[in-house]
Amino acid sequence: MSTLHDMTVAALAASLRAREVSAVEVAKHFMARASEQASLGAYLDTNEGITLAQAKAADARIAAGDTAALLGVPIAHKDIFVTKDFASTAGSKMLDNYRSPFDATVVEKLAQAGCVTLGKLNCDEFAMGSANENSAFKPVRNPWDTSRIPGGSSGGSAAAVAARSAPAATGTDTGGSIRQPASFCGITGIKPTYGRASRYGMIAFASSLDQAGVMARTSEDCAMLLSAMCGPDPDRDSTSLDVPAQDFTKSLNESIEGLRIGVPKEFFGEGLSADVRAAIEAALKQYEQLGAKLVDITLPRTQLSIPVYYIIAPAEASSNLSRFDGVKFGHRAKNYSDLTDMYEKTRAEGFGDEVKRRIMIGAYVLSHGYYDAYYLQAQKIRRMIADDFQNAFKQCDVIAGPVAPTVAWKLGEHGSDPLADYLADIFTLPGSLAGLPGMSIPCGFGEAGMPVGMQLLGNYCAEAKLLNAAHKFQQATDWHERSPAMAGGKA
């Protein structure tokens, strides 16, 4: 049997069902690895007693004959999902040591499926960032090169999976926060269609964009986890789609002969680095060898996605984050003279610079005299971006291209220039604004031996098609099997 941390979710699940290893043994192994790799900054909270109790319960279910697909498999959760048994901070001092009275639906569903929680993972504060340097507690480092960022905001999730201190992790994607860190860390990550996974218990950043997803080593792993996570939750999430839960693993071995892959010209223009371009073009050639057909398409409003997103998302954030005022829960300033002073000092102390920046932008674009000029216009263009995708899908089945213009950059490189982080989201934002499913799969290496991911986008509720296309690519290549030296592998 392979070393436990080298096994995929699918392999671990099969080994657990065959009782070749116990859930307790697996949990202890991954907890030890997380402790050894503490310098990465991936984990914010762990609880050995809770994790082992869940593992023992999984072993009892297995002994009783339960054959649930994920029973006993460890997983760690991005600290944007609230949990009863672990702190829920959203990477912010505003919620330092906050304990939720309930579990998020995604956490609850995976627990029901038998997953064992390893802990909570670091993230940019309130999921605002592209580098995971905005966490109030500590930055996360990329396991491939600890002087570089892992991507954000789900950087802790990506780093943990890449470093093999968790076989899988949940993440959230508002403007690319699953796909971009998955690309930068050389793992597989998927954001489903907006509304397919419940947002209940997910600490809100931008409500019309936030979507839960998952990160793991392979497309097969993601299919298994997504099958357990997704499903309608109308009583608790008003944005939940009335689409039944689906077993995404059933379509993983369908032929992709004749699959039409759209290649947007806007994704391959000026600004795309040569190393990333080379890796993506090689991956597209691999798809052609597998029988797929490349189709040139256009997404003409791609460039507008950055200004549109950075109007809509801050506007929604300024509204969502108004609840953090020191009255009901979370941080409260110690010294204040009256209620208004308490509000001001609490928010000044509790929020970091990036969160304050987005709140101010959001409040501005929603203010009297500017709503029509900024927010309303952004929403109109958002609809046009969604229409561009629908026009493109008349010509193709899936869309492929780069996830980000470059590989992961150095920690602190964009510290004085937040716009540089914003511009790195150019290829992920359009799909998020349209609410489409998207994923990143490892497809090569670029500058300094850093991973490069290829983005696949599908039409609404086409997760099965995306996962199958990714699975076929991974059956023909070994990029997803590569691991950083600190994880015991080599590129």
Side-chain angles (χ1 to χ4, degrees):
M1 184 175 69
S2 301
T3 306
L4 291 175
H5 60 264
D6 286 328
M7 298 172 72
T8 63
V9 168
L12 273 174
S15 186
L16 285 159
R17 282 196 301 272
R19 302 181 75 173
E20 296 170 350
V21 65
S22 72
V24 168
E25 288 176 279
V26 174
K28 285 181 176 179
H29 180 83
F30 281 100
M31 284 191 293
R33 285 187 65 80
S35 178
E36 291 165 6
Q37 298 170 351
S39 61
L40 276 182
Y43 282 84
L44 286 180
D45 192 29
T46 57
N47 187 320
E48 182 177 345
I50 292 294
T51 299
L52 291 180
Q54 292 181 7
K56 289 174 184 175
D59 281 332
R61 286 175 61 179
I62 292 169
D66 194 333
T67 58
L70 294 171
L71 193 49
V73 173
I75 192 168
H77 295 294
K78 181 177 180 178
D79 200 20
I80 207 79
F81 295 98
V82 299
T83 45
K84 290 185 295 186
D85 297 321
F86 299 86
S88 302
T89 71
S92 177
K93 287 182 181 177
M94 187 64 84
L95 288 171
D96 195 6
N97 292 319
Y98 171 70
R99 296 275 167 170
S100 169
F102 64 95
D103 284 331
T105 297
V106 162
V107 173
E108 184 180 89
K109 280 178 170 282
L110 288 166
Q112 290 169 352
C115 286
V116 174
T117 302
L118 292 171
K120 301 295 285 295
L121 295 164
N122 204 349
C123 59
D124 280 309
E125 186 178 5
F126 289 103
M128 297 182 192
S130 302
N132 221 142
E133 293 179 289
N134 293 335
S135 169
F137 304 107
K138 53 189 172 183
V140 180
R141 298 178 179 274
N142 193 311
W144 290 89
D145 178 351
T146 54
S147 71
R148 294 176 183 261
I149 59 103
S153 62
S154 306
S157 299
V161 174
R164 310 298 192 252
S165 64
T170 54
T172 60
D173 193 307
T174 304
S177 290
I178 286 174
R179 290 162 286 161
Q180 187 242 39
S183 172
F184 285 177
C185 290
I187 62 169
T188 304
I190 183 166
K191 161 207 177 298
T193 303
Y194 179 80
R196 284 216 81 171
S198 175
R199 291 175 48 250
Y200 180 74
M202 193 167 81
I203 299 169
F205 161 19
S207 301
S208 73
L209 293 157
D210 297 341
Q211 184 56 70
V214 70
M215 307 164 92
R217 300 264 296 283
T218 69
S219 177
E220 181 183 18
D221 290 354
C222 287
M224 293 174 68
L225 292 154
L226 207 62
S227 299
M229 282 171 54
C230 290
D233 191 22
D235 293 337
R236 299 188 293 185
D237 176 11
S238 62
T239 63
S240 176
L241 289 178
D242 188 16
V243 177
Q246 181 178 349
D247 184 352
F248 296 111
T249 63
K250 288 185 176 179
S251 56
L252 281 183
N253 289 303
E254 293 179 359
S255 172
I256 61 168
E257 185 75 35
L259 181 76
R260 299 172 301 164
I261 298 178
V263 183
K265 67 177 185 179
E266 292 81 5
F267 283 23
F268 292 86
E270 186 179 348
L272 179 64
S273 65
D275 54 338
V276 173
R277 181 191 293 271
I280 300 299
E281 289 178 347
L284 291 172
K285 287 180 182 176
Q286 178 67 57
Y287 267 116
E288 285 187 302
Q289 293 173 14
L290 293 172
K293 178 184 178 183
L294 302 186
V295 180
D296 291 330
I297 63 169
T298 182
L299 296 171
R301 296 178 180 88
T302 295
Q303 293 290 338
L304 293 176
S305 63
I306 293 178
V308 167
Y309 177 86
Y310 284 101
I311 288 173
I312 293 173
E316 296 183 9
S318 70
S319 176
N320 279 324
L321 271 61
S322 65
R323 72 193 67 177
F324 301 103
D325 55 12
V327 176
K328 297 176 285 295
F329 50 80
H331 175 74
R332 177 186 292 182
K334 290 183 178 179
N335 302 305
Y336 50 87
S337 58
D338 56 29
L339 186 63
T340 300
D341 191 41
M342 185 194 77
Y343 288 159
E344 291 175 353
K345 287 181 177 175
T346 293
R347 293 166 69 80
E349 294 169 6
F351 290 139
D353 289 345
E354 184 60 29
V355 174
K356 291 174 184 174
R357 182 181 294 116
R358 299 198 193 194
I359 289 173
M360 288 190 291
I361 292 170
Y364 176 83
V365 301
L366 290 177
S367 62
H368 180 68
Y370 296 101
Y371 178 92
D372 289 348
Y374 292 102
Y375 185 74
L376 190 59
Q377 295 303 317
Q379 291 288 17
K380 289 178 180 178
I381 298 172
R382 180 183 189 176
R383 168 47 54 196
M384 294 177 186
I385 290 170
D387 290 342
D388 286 346
F389 278 106
Q390 292 311 302
N391 289 330
F393 283 124
K394 293 174 183 176
Q395 306 168 58
C396 63
D397 303 305
V398 300
I399 293 170
V403 175
T406 67
V407 296
W409 53 88
K410 295 279 188 177
L411 282 157
E413 188 174 324
H414 296 171
S416 60
D417 183 13
L419 287 178
D421 276 8
Y422 298 174
L423 292 171
D425 298 334
I426 181 68
F427 303 133
T428 55
L429 291 178
S432 291
L433 288 165
L436 297 170
M439 64 187 301
S440 173
I441 55 174
C443 71
F445 293 88
E447 178 201 351
M450 296 304 292
V452 175
M454 176 166 60
Q455 180 175 207
L456 297 175
L457 293 165
N459 211 341
Y460 300 113
C461 297
E463 290 83 3
K465 186 174 291 185
L466 285 183
L467 288 160
N468 182 55
H471 183 60
K472 288 297 184 183
F473 181 83
Q474 291 181 337
Q475 286 181 317
T477 63
D478 69 350
W479 301 116
H480 61 288
E481 296 176 0
R482 313 288 182 93
S483 61
M486 70 178 303
K490 61 180 181 179

